Amino acid sequence: MAMERYEIEAFLALADELHFGRTAQRLRVSTGRVSQTIQALERRFGAPLFERTSRRVELTPVGKQLLDDLRPGHDLIQRAIERATSAGRGLPGVLEVGFGSAGAGVFLMEAADRFKAANPGVEVRIRELPLYEGEAALHADLVQMVLVCHPVAETGLTAGPVLRTLPRLLAVPRAHPLAARDSVSLNDLADITLIGAPDSTPSAIAADRTPTRTPDGRPIRHDRSASTFQEAISLVGGGAGAFVVGDEGSCYRAYPRVAYLPIDDAPPLRGRLVWRESRENARIRAFSEAALATSRGDCRRPRGAEMAAC
């Protein structure tokens, strides 16, 4: 006794209108199609659903019972469809975007301002996340998007276009001998201890940001790990070791006890917005476009050792 969607729509529309002509106009079908659909339902149920005269159409007791049983479920389905459509195609709502460093936070706030100017019905919440845990935050639905500067290899994630290309700098204690140099190489990492990554850091990210060997094969020492960017820079300032960051130019003022040295032979960090494929919607796509437009007008001017963060 299943009912097709068009049969449900025809029955409910006729129950509302109690007029075959108006029902046909509402459904954008012929009057004959409405009549045939209702007759087919009546044959299936074995009882008339409407009483028809030349002057009026009324529900029968069976039709009234079907209406009372069918309407709440239909309305629930319609609301579910509307919510899904709004989430997928509509913009109003809340969008939470995560970041792991001060410079990334500044950039996201600028992108959020641009985004909200074009989409005033959306609230954007910018959240700081622990280092290298952006993907974990996505999977836990703590945020819908995250700006990362490390490789993204997980399946089920979508990486947007490159928004920022940042030369790598080595943050070192000002008292360390390397601080007197104009720049360093990756092989120089054997001469200083690196601030390590938390144990939960994915291996591909750890290999990129906290390598264990130099290009010439020498081991790189790791000591204390840091869970946030500010913690890592504080450890560097306290003499605990060095930390690889992205050159953010004037976006972030250097910690007074830290010097920033260009790493001549290191590839740049590339910042992208990442989100879960299954969570993609109009808000995410629109914010990605706003961030890309923001990146094209990024006024930062990299200044080597003066400022850094990523």
Coordinates of all heavy atoms in Angstrom, one line a residue, residues 83 85-95 115 119-123 281-283:
R83 N 15.8 21.9 5.6 CA 17.0 22.1 6.4 C 18.2 21.7 5.6 O 19.3 22.3 5.6 CB 16.9 21.4 7.7 CG 16.0 22.1 8.7 CD 16.2 21.5 10.1 NE 15.8 20.1 10.2 CZ 14.6 19.7 10.5 NH1 13.7 20.5 10.8 NH2 14.4 18.4 10.6
T85 N 18.5 21.5 2.4 CA 18.8 22.4 1.3 C 19.4 23.7 1.8 O 20.3 24.2 1.1 CB 17.4 22.7 0.6 OG1 16.8 21.5 0.1 CG2 17.7 23.7 -0.6
S86 N 18.9 24.2 2.9 CA 19.5 25.4 3.5 C 21.0 25.2 3.9 O 21.8 26.0 3.6 CB 18.7 25.8 4.7 OG 19.3 26.9 5.3
A87 N 21.2 24.0 4.4 CA 22.6 23.7 4.8 C 23.5 23.6 3.6 O 24.7 24.0 3.6 CB 22.7 22.4 5.7
G88 N 23.0 22.9 2.5 CA 23.8 22.7 1.4 C 23.9 23.9 0.4 O 25.0 24.1 -0.2
R89 N 22.8 24.7 0.3 CA 22.8 25.7 -0.7 C 22.7 27.1 -0.1 O 23.0 28.1 -0.7 CB 21.7 25.5 -1.7 CG 21.8 24.2 -2.5 CD 20.6 24.1 -3.5 NE 20.7 22.9 -4.3 CZ 19.8 22.5 -5.1 NH1 18.8 23.3 -5.4 NH2 20.0 21.4 -5.8
G90 N 22.1 27.2 1.1 CA 21.9 28.5 1.7 C 23.1 28.9 2.5 O 23.9 28.1 2.9
L91 N 23.2 30.2 2.8 CA 24.3 30.8 3.5 C 24.0 31.1 5.0 O 24.9 30.9 5.8 CB 24.8 32.0 2.8 CG 25.5 31.8 1.5 CD1 25.8 33.1 0.8 CD2 26.8 31.1 1.7
P92 N 22.8 31.5 5.4 CA 22.6 31.9 6.8 C 23.0 30.8 7.7 O 22.7 29.6 7.5 CB 21.1 32.2 6.8 CG 20.8 32.7 5.5 CD 21.6 31.8 4.6
G93 N 23.6 31.1 8.8 CA 24.0 30.1 9.8 C 25.4 30.5 10.5 O 25.8 31.7 10.4
V94 N 26.0 29.5 11.0 CA 27.3 29.7 11.7 C 28.4 28.9 11.0 O 28.2 27.8 10.6 CB 27.2 29.3 13.2 CG1 28.6 29.4 13.8 CG2 26.2 30.1 13.9
L95 N 29.5 29.5 10.8 CA 30.7 28.9 10.2 C 31.9 29.0 11.1 O 32.2 30.1 11.5 CB 31.0 29.5 8.8 CG 32.3 28.9 8.1 CD1 31.9 27.4 7.7 CD2 32.6 29.7 6.9
F115 N 34.1 38.1 3.9 CA 33.0 37.2 3.7 C 31.7 37.7 4.3 O 30.6 37.7 3.7 CB 33.4 35.9 4.4 CG 32.3 34.8 4.4 CD1 31.9 34.2 3.3 CD2 31.7 34.5 5.6 CE1 30.9 33.2 3.4 CE2 30.7 33.6 5.7 CZ 30.3 32.9 4.6
N119 N 28.0 38.5 2.9 CA 27.0 37.5 3.4 C 26.6 37.9 4.8 O 27.0 37.2 5.8 CB 27.5 36.1 3.3 CG 28.0 35.7 2.0 OD1 27.2 35.4 1.1 ND2 29.3 35.7 1.8
P120 N 25.8 38.9 5.0 CA 25.5 39.4 6.4 C 24.8 38.5 7.3 O 24.7 38.6 8.5 CB 24.8 40.7 6.1 CG 24.2 40.6 4.8 CD 25.2 39.8 4.0
G121 N 24.2 37.4 6.7 CA 23.4 36.5 7.5 C 24.2 35.4 8.1 O 23.7 34.5 8.8
V122 N 25.5 35.4 7.9 CA 26.4 34.3 8.4 C 27.2 34.8 9.6 O 27.8 35.9 9.5 CB 27.2 33.8 7.3 CG1 28.0 32.5 7.8 CG2 26.4 33.4 6.1
E123 N 27.3 34.0 10.6 CA 28.2 34.3 11.7 C 29.5 33.5 11.6 O 29.4 32.3 11.4 CB 27.6 34.0 13.1 CG 28.5 34.2 14.3 CD 27.9 33.8 15.6 OE1 26.7 33.4 15.6 OE2 28.6 33.9 16.6
N281 N 29.4 22.7 1.9 CA 28.1 23.4 1.6 C 28.4 24.8 1.1 O 29.6 25.1 0.8 CB 27.3 23.5 2.9 CG 28.0 24.2 4.1 OD1 28.8 25.1 3.9 ND2 27.7 23.7 5.3
A282 N 27.3 25.6 0.9 CA 27.5 26.9 0.3 C 28.3 27.8 1.1 O 29.1 28.6 0.6 CB 26.1 27.5 0.0
R283 N 28.2 27.7 2.5 CA 29.0 28.6 3.3 C 30.5 28.3 3.2 O 31.3 29.2 3.1 CB 28.6 28.4 4.8 CG 27.2 29.0 5.2 CD 27.0 29.1 6.7 NE 26.9 27.7 7.2 CZ 25.8 27.0 7.3 NH1 24.7 27.6 6.8 NH2 25.7 25.8 7.9

